[in-house]
């Protein structure tokens, strides 16, 4: 075997092992903190005023449910305003928001309608008229649970003066097809990772679905970056670079609609990965910089590693799957696709010495740590931990992860030739 | 401003655990590799014994002129030995490809096997006449460096699977020709100037012989009519 390939394989394995062990050790180390979090009681003496901003573009299929979930929040009515921004939708989104506001007069709902300018611009415009001390932004394809805001505000109240963003626990809303169920698994894992990152002061994204911000911190640092592909990552990087706190609220559930097709998924991820890399490059001074704690020493190198990991996955997939398949097809062509002699003479043999045990063991450890992380993630998200759920881990890593890696590598390649898209 | 502290300890502990797991895997790999060398060496010894036994049987047949009666026993020993040899050779090839540490040992073993192959080839040729057996033997000259040799290998394996013990393929890796002069000898005898080359009934065919053509050559080389032809 090619020595370069071999080295690449072992380095990828070592790094993956390192990161997985780091997470699990941190989890064990912080278990007491986690338990304390679970037992907290939500007592808020004075509720801060919160503005909820909903930027909406062509979202007639989800806007109704989104608005209802917000109107249904368990939060004092006089301390909450809802600002919906119709970002030049070509469908009936604007109309639907107007009707909803009319039907829910008791809730303070305002609508801004204007031509299409993008999400960051919508947020900035709404920020200009928001009265809240805190504000949350909610993607129009996402829905909050009744208790969510209260839990997040409680986190804000108890998190100290340096806390500027509280991020929610994201789940996929009603996953139906296989692709959505696999994304569901992915979100559960990131939920667990976000919780750990929160204890390491290393959260690197304030997701579009319902992150709660200190308005002053965002406005004073210049608002959302309208030219950034992933402004929700950029704002998190900015807060981290200013040494502010971002906290993940482990049970503030928000449900978001997942793409139901590969093309939808690749469009979404293309933007995420490009934006992610651009932000990584823009904030490169933080990478491996001790001043920024684990965020600099662990999290950013890990994001960098994930890109390498994606490239490695694509390379290994082609080397171990695509190439052998093509070679075998070619060999079959050489013998005129006559497979009968092979079938007739096939005798299953097992020889321990023929197995590549070093690689077998590597695979075992990767599987072991993966299973551990999947199991902990499912429990952490208060989902039912059953054999069936765990079974999803198999296609998750065998198929989904490979698809995602391909998308990441394509995004990376497009970025290198200078092709970026707006969203 | 948050004061950030990182505990170097965590990074170190994680690093140590990672290394331990990694070293464990590596150690296992080394043990397995040595175990492989041992198992091949053992096989090689067994085959040497089998060869001596054959040699004796052969001498016995010649001296006592009871050819016909001894032939069936001889035939069985020969086919078994050849099957054994083929299997070991396949394993040896796989192990040599995988190994990082025992390259030299596997190299020596390969030479051993090439010699075994040549000896068996001689046996097979003489036996066919002596015992009036009907099989075809093919000498297959190849090199690890030649690009389309694997194609010939695939086609040969295909026919080997069809004719089984009636087709004897003796692979000769010419990369070892500097160490093993008998390879050079045969190469000159059959005028092998191009790789791959196969030799059937003392006729050399250079370049990849495709499926159809090889099928015809094999069929034409049997003494009697075969069902597969």
């Amino acid at each position: 075997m090619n020595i370069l390939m071999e080295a690449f394989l072992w380095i990828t394995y070592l790094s993956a092992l390192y990161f997985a062990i780091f997470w699990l050790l941190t989890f064990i180390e912080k278990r007491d903190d986690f338990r304390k979090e679970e037992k907290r009681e939500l007592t808020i003496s004075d509720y801060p005023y919160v503005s909820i901003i909903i930027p909406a573009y062509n979202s007639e299929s989800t806007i109704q449910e989104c608005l209802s979930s917000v109107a249904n929040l368990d939060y004092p009515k006089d301390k909450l305003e809802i600002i919906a921004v119709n970002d030049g939708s070509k469908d009936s989104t604007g109309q639907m928001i107007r009707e909803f506001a009319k039907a829910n007069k008791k809730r303070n709902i305002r609508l801004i309608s204007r031509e299409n300018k993008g999400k960051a611009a919508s947020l900035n415009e709404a920020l200009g008229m928001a009265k809240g001390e805190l504000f949350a932004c909610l993607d129009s394809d996402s829905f909050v649970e009744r208790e969510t805001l209260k839990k997040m505000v409680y986190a804000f109240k108890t998190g100290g003066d340096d806390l500027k963003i509280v991020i929610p626990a994201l789940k996929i809303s009603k996953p139906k097809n296989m692709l959505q169920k696999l994304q569901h698994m992915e979100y559960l894992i990131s939920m667990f990772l976000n919780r750990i990152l929160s204890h390491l002061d290393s959260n690197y994204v304030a997701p579009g679905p319902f992150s709660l911000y200190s308005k002053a911190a965002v406005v004073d640092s210049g608002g959302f970056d309208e030219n950034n592909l992933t402004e929700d990552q950029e704002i998190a990087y900015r807060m981290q670079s200013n040494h502010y706190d971002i906290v993940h609220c482990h049970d503030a559930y928000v449900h978001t609609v997942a793409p139901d097709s590969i093309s939808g998924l690749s469009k979404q991820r293309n933007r995420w990965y490009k934006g992610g890399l651009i932000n990584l490059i823009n904030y490169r001074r933080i990478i491996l910089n001790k001043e920024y704690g684990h965020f600099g020493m662990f999290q950013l190198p890990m994001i960098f590693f994930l890109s390498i990991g994606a490239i490695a996955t694509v390379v290994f997939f082609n080397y171990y799957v695509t190439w052998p398949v093509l070679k075998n097809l070619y060999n079959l062509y050489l013998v005129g696709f006559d497979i009968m002699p092979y079938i007739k003479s096939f005798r299953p043999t097992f020889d321990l010495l023929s197995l590549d045990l070093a690689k077998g063991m590597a695979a075992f450890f990767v599987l072991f740590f993966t299973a551990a992380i999947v199991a902990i993630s499912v429990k952490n998200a208060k989902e039912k931990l059953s054999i069936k759920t765990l079974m999803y881990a198999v296609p998750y890593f065998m198929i989904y992860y490979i698809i995602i890696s391909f998308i990441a590598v394509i995004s990376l390649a497009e970025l290198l030739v200078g092709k970026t898209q707006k969203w | 401003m948050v004061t950030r502290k990182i505990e170097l300890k965590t990074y170190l502990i994680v690093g140590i655990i990672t290394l331990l797991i990694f070293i464990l895997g590596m150690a296992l790999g080394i043990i397995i590799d040595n175990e492989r060398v041992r198992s091949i060496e053992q096989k090689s010894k067994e085959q040497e014994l089998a060869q001596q036994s054959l040699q004796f049987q052969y001498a016995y047949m010649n001296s006592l002129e009871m050819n016909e009666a001894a032939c069936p026993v001889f035939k069985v020993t020969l086919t078994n030995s050849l099957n054994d040899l083929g299997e070991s050779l396949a394993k040896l090839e796989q192990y040599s490809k995988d190994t990082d540490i025992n390259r030299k040992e596997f190299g020596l073993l390969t030479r051993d096997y090439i010699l075994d192959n040549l000896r068996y080839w001689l046996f097979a040729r003489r036996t066919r006449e002596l015992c009036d057996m009907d099989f075809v033997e093919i000498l297959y000259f190849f090199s690890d460096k030649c690009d389309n040799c694997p194609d010939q290998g695939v086609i040969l394996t295909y026919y080997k699977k069809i004719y089984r013990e009636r087709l004897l393929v003796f692979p000769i890796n010419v990369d070892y020709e500097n160490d093993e002069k008998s390879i050079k000898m045969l190469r000159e005898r059959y005028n092998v100037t191009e790789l791959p080359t196969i030799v059937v009934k003392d006729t050399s065919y250079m370049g990849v012989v495709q499926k159809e053509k090889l099928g015809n050559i094999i069929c034409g080389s049997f003494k009697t009519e075969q069902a597969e032809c």
Side-chain angles (χ1 to χ4, degrees), chain A residues 37-96:
Chain A
E37 277 174 7
E38 309 275 348
K39 282 193 191 126
R40 77 201 192 284
E41 276 189 44
L42 297 173
T43 43
I44 303 171
S45 48
D46 67 308
Y47 285 88
Y49 197 95
V50 177
S51 309
I52 296 178
I53 303 171
I54 306 175
Y57 175 69
N58 289 351
S59 36
E60 57 182 9
S61 57
T62 52
I63 190 74
Q64 177 80 28
E65 195 180 346
C66 171
L67 287 166
S68 309
S69 76
V70 173
N72 194 33
L73 277 173
D74 178 18
Y75 204 79
K77 287 190 173 59
D78 56 329
K79 296 278 188 179
L80 191 71
E81 66 171 347
I82 301 165
I83 306 172
V85 186
N86 179 17
D87 192 18
S89 296
K90 294 187 188 75
D91 62 3
S92 62
T93 304
Q95 178 66 23
M96 288 174 83

Side-chain angles (χ1 to χ4, degrees), chain A residues 275-286:
Chain A
L277 280 169
I278 290 170
N279 285 322
L280 197 62
I281 294 165
N282 288 345
Y283 286 91
R284 60 186 174 279
R285 67 192 160 84
I286 299 179

Side-chain angles (χ1 to χ4, degrees), chain A residues 127 132-135 164 213-223 239:
Chain A
L127 267 185
E133 170 192 336
L134 303 178
F135 78 93
K164 301 301 178 191
Y213 304 83
S214 144
K215 192 176 94 181
V218 174
V219 172
D220 292 350
S221 64
M239 293 300 150

Side-chain angles (χ1 to χ4, degrees), chain B:
Chain B
M1 281 229 295
V2 194
T3 42
R4 299 181 191 250
K5 267 193 301 187
I6 52 165
E7 296 124 60
L8 209 63
K9 213 177 72 190
T10 320
Y11 287 82
L12 278 177
I13 293 174
V14 173
I16 290 168
I17 297 178
T18 309
L19 269 183
L20 277 181
I21 292 179
F22 186 70
I23 290 168
L24 197 65
M26 281 290 143
L28 198 65
I30 292 170
I31 293 170
I32 289 292
D33 215 53
N34 287 332
E35 209 46 51
R36 284 174 169 184
V37 172
R38 274 241 309 269
S39 86
I40 296 264
E41 273 170 355
Q42 166 130 15
K43 271 272 164 211
S44 170
K45 270 187 202 128
E46 282 169 19
Q47 266 139 11
E48 232 160 77
L49 278 179
Q51 220 158 47
Q52 281 174 10
S53 163
L54 272 180
Q55 234 149 12
F56 171 75
Q57 290 177 29
Y58 187 77
Y60 173 75
M61 280 191 299
N62 267 343
S63 60
L64 298 180
E65 290 179 16
M66 333 175 20
N67 312 351
E68 298 294 314
C71 267
V73 182
F74 192 80
K75 212 163 138 180
V76 171
T77 324
L78 183 68
T79 354
N80 286 346
S81 301
L82 280 174
N83 278 342
D84 235 29
L85 189 71
E87 272 172 31
S88 309
L89 198 65
K91 263 187 206 160
L92 181 64
E93 264 169 28
Q94 191 216 321
Y95 294 172
S96 324
K97 261 182 217 154
D98 287 350
T99 194
D100 297 315
I101 43 172
N102 290 318
R103 221 172 284 275
K104 225 183 228 161
E105 281 81 349
F106 282 121
L108 283 177
L109 282 169
T110 309
R111 273 180 64 188
D112 225 14
Y113 271 90
I114 291 175
L115 269 183
D116 280 352
N117 251 312
L118 293 179
R119 269 185 232 132
Y120 276 117
W121 171 69
L122 274 183
F123 270 134
R125 276 168 69 101
R126 288 197 228 133
T127 319
R128 193 181 44 198
E129 302 316 320
L130 200 61
C131 291
D132 193 31
M133 286 161 78
D134 196 9
F135 56 73
V136 177
E137 85 269 353
I138 299 182
L139 274 182
Y140 166 41
F141 293 88
F142 71 101
S143 153
D144 289 336
K145 291 161 206 125
C146 121
D147 287 337
N148 46 11
C149 286
D151 292 5
Q152 189 67 77
V154 168
I155 297 169
L156 280 169
T157 309
Y158 169 77
Y159 282 115
K160 176 73 192 164
K161 287 199 183 297
I162 291 179
Y163 294 105
R164 299 189 186 194
E165 69 278 355
R166 283 167 296 154
L167 180 69
L168 306 179
V169 180
F170 299 92
I172 295 170
N173 187 340
V174 300
D175 294 340
Y176 288 87
E177 122 187 297
N178 288 329
D179 298 322
E180 200 43 74
K181 298 297 173 210
S182 38
I183 298 177
K184 206 168 236 167
M185 215 167 70
L186 279 173
R187 202 175 161 169
E188 273 158 23
R189 156 74 178 82
Y190 291 109
N191 201 14
V192 178
T193 50
E194 198 185 310
L195 291 174
T197 287
I198 58 172
V199 179
V200 190
K201 271 190 153 179
D202 290 339
T203 315
S204 308
Y205 302 86
M206 299 201 205
V208 178
V209 181
Q210 295 298 340
K211 183 193 166 201
E212 295 291 311
K213 192 177 168 198
L214 187 60
N216 292 335
I217 295 173
I218 293 172
C219 278
S221 306
F222 283 110
K223 289 178 187 164
T224 56
E225 195 81 11
Q226 301 292 316
E228 289 88 349
C229 289

Side-chain angles (χ1 to χ4, degrees), chain A residues 160-296:
Chain A
D161 291 341
D162 290 319
L163 177 56
K164 301 301 178 191
I165 307 178
V166 172
I167 62 177
L170 276 187
K171 283 188 180 182
I172 295 294
S173 169
K174 298 175 215 108
K176 281 190 197 76
N177 65 21
M178 187 70 176
L179 191 64
Q180 288 173 320
K181 282 177 182 161
L182 291 172
Q183 289 176 78
H184 179 64
M185 175 68 84
E186 182 189 26
Y187 275 57
L188 296 187
I189 295 172
S190 11
M191 192 193 292
F192 170 60
L193 295 186
N194 271 327
R195 191 172 182 186
I196 287 184
L197 287 183
S198 181
H199 285 272
L200 297 172
D201 292 325
S202 296
N203 289 99
Y204 66 101
V205 57
F210 219 61
S211 289
L212 186 64
Y213 304 83
S214 144
K215 192 176 94 181
V218 174
V219 172
D220 292 350
S221 64
F224 287 94
D225 183 355
E226 296 181 13
N227 293 314
N228 202 287
L229 274 178
T230 45
E231 75 295 323
D232 51 356
Q233 271 186 30
E234 196 279 331
I235 193 78
Y237 273 78
R238 200 191 307 163
M239 293 300 150
Q240 290 284 9
S241 75
N242 292 335
H243 295 293
Y244 286 132
D245 256 350
I246 300 174
V247 158
H248 168 79
C249 186
H250 72 279
D251 57 355
Y253 298 119
V254 176
H255 304 262
T256 188
V257 174
D260 58 358
S261 66
I262 300 274
S263 70
L265 182 72
S266 63
K267 215 173 136 197
Q268 179 197 50
R269 297 305 161 104
N270 195 288
R271 186 177 66 81
W272 287 10
Y273 298 147
K274 278 181 189 165
L277 280 169
I278 290 170
N279 285 322
L280 197 62
I281 294 165
N282 288 345
Y283 286 91
R284 60 186 174 279
R285 67 192 160 84
I286 299 179
I287 302 174
L288 294 179
N289 188 337
K290 259 202 270 185
E291 266 177 54
Y292 296 91
H294 293 298
F295 186 66

Side-chain angles (χ1 to χ4, degrees), chain A residues 253-392:
Chain A
Y253 298 119
V254 176
H255 304 262
T256 188
V257 174
D260 58 358
S261 66
I262 300 274
S263 70
L265 182 72
S266 63
K267 215 173 136 197
Q268 179 197 50
R269 297 305 161 104
N270 195 288
R271 186 177 66 81
W272 287 10
Y273 298 147
K274 278 181 189 165
L277 280 169
I278 290 170
N279 285 322
L280 197 62
I281 294 165
N282 288 345
Y283 286 91
R284 60 186 174 279
R285 67 192 160 84
I286 299 179
I287 302 174
L288 294 179
N289 188 337
K290 259 202 270 185
E291 266 177 54
Y292 296 91
H294 293 298
F295 186 66
M297 296 302 286
F298 179 75
Q299 182 53 26
L300 293 196
M302 200 191 75
I303 295 176
F304 179 74
F305 166 75
L306 284 179
S307 321
I308 305 289
I311 297 174
T313 306
V314 169
V315 170
F316 297 147
F317 183 78
N318 286 328
Y319 191 87
Y320 288 112
V321 181
T322 318
W323 177 240
V325 164
L326 288 179
K327 211 158 114 188
N328 276 320
L329 274 178
Y330 172 69
N331 287 348
L332 277 179
Y333 156 80
L334 282 177
V335 298
F337 292 99
D338 180 15
I339 53 168
M340 279 321 281
Y342 298 94
I343 294 172
K344 272 188 202 153
S345 66
F346 177 77
R347 259 171 254 103
T349 49
F350 180 75
D351 177 9
L352 197 64
L353 281 183
S354 297
L355 300 174
D356 190 341
L357 278 192
K359 281 204 190 77
M361 212 167 98
F364 169 78
F365 275 108
V366 168
L367 275 180
F368 174 79
F369 284 116
T370 308
I373 287 175
V374 167
I376 297 170
S377 300
V378 172
K379 263 195 87 182
N380 174 62
K382 310 247 162 40
E383 297 265 318
K384 216 172 75 194
L385 182 61
S386 64
I387 299 289
K388 204 180 145 199
T389 340
L390 281 181
M391 290 294 270
Y392 268 102

